[in-house]
Amino acid sequence: MDTANSNATTASAAPAAPAQPNGHREDPGGFKLKFCTVCASNQNRSMEGHLRLALANYPVISFGTGSLVRLPGPTITQPNVYKFNETSYDSIYRELEAKDPRLYRANGLLNMLGRNRNIKWGPERWQDWQVGMPRVKKETDKGFEGMEGGVADIVITCEERCWDAVIDDLLNRGSPLNRAVHVINIDIKDNHEEASVGGKAMVDLADSLNQVAKEEREKVGAAAFDSGSGAARASFDERVPEVIGEWQERWPNLPATWTLAWF
């Protein structure tokens, strides 16, 4: 559904840069990796990660990998189902509020959708994403600055089936851009509490990866590194598993998997 109610399992967080009360972090400027977050329906986990990364001043987009957007309904056999790319978060919010405001407030859906509609227009499907195409009419999306060209350096999925779907889709595309992308899965349980923990963990990982990327970028030169070529980024690519290993020690309750793939 990309949401449900259950008790959260907490993880130990690494020290982070000071955050302002509203969640925004002061932007230090300089080079930033571009991120993409992915879950099943582009509703809960990927959107929490999208928001957290945007507030941390990273360029970011988000997607779902399911065939349809599925949210809980009055019973397990009566989900609310919507189409990707055609249904706005606001319209889903208004529909559920009209159906049963008490139910959908109690299970957190209205709160989640209220957050989502302030991030971007509606849920997007990974398999429909045209990598490398300009992100037109997306200027109001949080995290848009830096994502105009429609390419990401790091894709973070939130469960194994989404990771599998992303890898399979990238293989089927045949690497037309010949551009490396790191695909990292973080197993995050699909409820609001753990999505919040997972969002914090994503920012911690992003900070670590970005620091390493800046170090390697200085060595090879900005122009070469920013081109995204395999040769220019080889030293960064080699350091990513080490970064993830160190991150995993800080977040032992969020199992991670990594692979290097190609756009």
Side-chain angles (χ1 to χ4, degrees), residues 3-230:
T3 189
N5 284 328
S6 78
N7 293 326
T9 301
T10 58
S12 299
Q20 298 174 3
N22 61 5
H24 284 275
R25 195 167 70 182
E26 187 173 337
D27 188 355
F31 174 80
K32 296 184 183 71
L33 290 169
K34 300 174 177 63
F35 291 86
C36 172
T37 61
V38 182
C39 63
S41 290
N42 199 197
Q43 290 284 349
N44 183 32
R45 296 163 293 178
S46 64
M47 289 298 283
E48 180 69 19
H50 184 144
L51 177 60
R52 297 271 185 168
L53 288 165
L55 292 176
N57 304 299
Y58 287 109
V60 58
I61 53 178
S62 59
F63 296 97
T65 57
S67 57
L68 293 165
V69 175
R70 301 179 190 277
L71 295 174
T75 70
I76 195 170
T77 60
Q78 296 175 289
N80 293 285
V81 181
Y82 307 94
K83 291 183 178 181
F84 281 102
N85 310 315
E86 298 181 18
T87 314
S88 71
Y89 292 118
D90 184 63
S91 66
I92 299 173
Y93 181 100
R94 289 185 283 106
E95 179 182 309
L96 297 186
E97 186 179 41
K99 281 183 176 180
D100 192 337
R102 180 179 297 181
L103 169 64
Y104 295 118
R105 284 198 181 93
N107 67 10
L109 279 186
L110 291 182
N111 182 66
M112 179 190 75
L113 290 162
R115 173 203 65 191
N116 292 353
R117 64 184 178 178
N118 289 319
I119 298 172
K120 65 177 188 174
W121 182 82
E124 299 174 82
R125 189 167 184 258
W126 166 276
Q127 292 88 340
D128 300 327
W129 178 30
Q130 295 180 292
V131 181
M133 293 294 291
R135 298 274 294 170
V136 297
K137 299 181 180 179
K138 302 288 185 179
E139 293 84 358
T140 59
D141 290 3
K142 291 191 183 299
F144 173 78
E145 187 175 355
M147 292 305 309
E148 299 91 333
V151 176
D153 301 302
I154 311 290
V155 174
I156 302 176
T157 62
C158 299
E159 65 177 289
E160 187 175 354
R161 63 172 173 155
C162 298
W163 190 75
D164 290 340
V166 166
I167 297 301
D168 288 346
D169 180 67
L170 289 174
L171 289 172
N172 291 334
R173 293 184 187 222
S175 310
L177 302 184
N178 194 32
R179 184 184 177 105
V181 57
H182 293 270
V183 186
I184 303 166
N185 183 66
I186 301 174
D187 277 332
I188 303 170
K189 292 180 181 178
D190 192 6
N191 61 63
H192 302 299
E193 295 85 356
E194 298 219 24
S196 179
V197 173
K200 296 174 184 177
M202 288 186 199
V203 173
D204 181 32
L205 179 58
D207 288 342
S208 297
L209 290 169
N210 201 65
Q211 179 58 42
V212 169
K214 288 195 291 186
E215 292 170 6
E216 299 306 321
R217 184 173 181 261
E218 290 178 2
K219 294 177 184 176
V220 302
F225 192 92
D226 294 350
S227 71
S229 71

